[in-house]
Amino acid sequence: HDALPISVSTPHQVFLVLVLGGMVAGAAGFYSMMKHAFVLYSVPTITPVIVRLLLVGEEIQTAMAFMAVLFLIIMFITSRRAYSTTTNSFVLRFGNEELIANLRKAKEETDRLNTALEKSEQQYRAIHDTAFDGIIIADSSGTIKENNPSAEVIFDYAQGEMIGEDL
């Protein structure tokens, strides 16, 4: 009895190669995360068939054996690429989680600072608008940019007339 029984019928040989090739193709994705598991699964799965096809020695079986070897090489490459892609995805995912956490902290700090700024602006406006003393704010060239209502009363200007005037 043959140690590697394989039918001499070409359709049966093609069927067997397709079934085992399908198993290897499925394993390329499934075992790709365990770098060496794919090799440990696929080589013992398909190598006996390749050897048996070569031992038959006929042209079609030899061609099938070489195509199976080529297929196995392509599946190794596919498995390595799937490993790289999945590994990079995990790295990006966990890197992005850290980035998102940092962005959340920065947003919380920005919100806190904006709240403090709004409070400070409200206090400034309350003092500016209710002070009995005239308050005039001018730029470096002496042009009035802002004034409070008391300054308008003191200098006898209507509301908004002082803006743009020179000191």
Side-chain angles (χ1 to χ4, degrees):
H1 289 299
D2 244 340
L4 298 170
I6 187 166
S7 174
V8 291
S9 164
T10 302
H12 287 110
Q13 292 171 347
V14 170
F15 177 74
L16 181 61
V17 169
L18 286 175
V19 168
L20 293 176
M23 291 170 55
V24 168
F30 186 74
Y31 288 127
S32 66
M33 277 312 297
M34 297 174 283
K35 211 170 192 175
H36 301 292
F38 175 70
V39 173
L40 293 173
Y41 173 80
S42 60
V43 171
T45 299
I46 207 156
T47 301
V49 175
I50 293 170
V51 170
R52 180 68 168 115
L53 287 170
L54 288 171
L55 289 175
V56 171
E58 292 184 24
E59 190 174 302
I60 189 76
Q61 282 78 8
T62 303
M64 286 173 50
F66 284 114
M67 292 304 289
V69 169
L70 179 62
F71 174 77
L72 194 55
I73 292 169
I74 292 170
M75 288 298 101
F76 287 147
I77 293 168
T78 301
S79 178
R80 286 179 55 199
R81 286 186 179 169
Y83 175 82
S84 283
T85 301
T86 305
T87 302
N88 289 339
S89 294
F90 281 130
V91 167
L92 288 174
R93 177 177 179 226
F94 292 115
N96 285 344
E97 285 181 2
E98 185 178 333
L99 178 62
I100 289 170
N102 289 339
L103 288 173
R104 281 192 183 118
K105 286 180 185 176
K107 183 186 180 310
E108 289 170 3
E109 179 66 12
T110 302
D111 289 346
R112 186 188 66 73
L113 291 171
N114 281 336
T115 300
L117 181 61
E118 287 173 7
K119 183 178 178 183
S120 176
E121 175 71 17
Q122 289 171 353
Q123 290 173 340
Y124 166 77
R125 282 283 152 217
I127 293 168
H128 178 272
D129 293 346
T130 60
F132 292 114
D133 295 328
I135 299 173
I136 297 173
I137 299 173
D139 63 15
S140 60
S141 64
T143 304
I144 297 174
K145 296 295 180 185
E146 185 178 334
N147 60 273
N148 71 343
S150 294
E152 291 170 343
V153 171
I154 292 170
F155 295 105
D156 196 30
Y157 277 89
Q159 183 177 4
E161 281 185 349
M162 291 179 77
I163 306 297
E165 295 288 322
D166 288 330
L167 283 178

